[in-house]
Amino acid sequence: MDYFNDAPTSRKNKHLNDFELGKIELLHKQGYSLNAIGKILNRASNTIHNEPKRGTVT
């Protein structure tokens, strides 16, 4: 079975872009909880919780 990666649009919620990563870092430094940041960015809270573990945000 062949899989093609030529979809015209990206899949929803697949990756966080640089803007979202910066926004996570900024809001976290301002004291927002990771759950609140997820609601603000309209992303799953688990996605937001995983980013500091990956080291992409501080």
Side-chain angles (χ1 to χ4, degrees), residues 12-29:
K12 185 178 178 184
N13 298 331
K14 180 64 177 162
H15 296 284
L16 295 172
N17 60 33
D18 291 336
F19 176 77
E20 290 172 317
L21 293 173
K23 192 79 168 171
I24 291 169
E25 187 170 355
L26 179 68
L27 292 172
H28 190 62
K29 285 181 180 178

Side-chain angles (χ1 to χ4, degrees), residues 1-56:
M1 180 179 268
D2 293 328
Y3 294 98
F4 298 103
N5 193 14
D6 59 353
T9 58
S10 63
R11 289 187 281 175
K12 185 178 178 184
N13 298 331
K14 180 64 177 162
H15 296 284
L16 295 172
N17 60 33
D18 291 336
F19 176 77
E20 290 172 317
L21 293 173
K23 192 79 168 171
I24 291 169
E25 187 170 355
L26 179 68
L27 292 172
H28 190 62
K29 285 181 180 178
Q30 291 179 351
Y32 284 87
S33 70
L34 296 175
N35 285 332
I37 295 169
K39 288 180 183 180
I40 291 169
L41 295 178
N42 198 25
R43 294 286 190 155
S45 61
N46 195 34
T47 300
I48 306 302
H49 282 278
N50 289 334
E51 290 309 311
K53 293 179 196 173
R54 287 190 186 110
T56 56

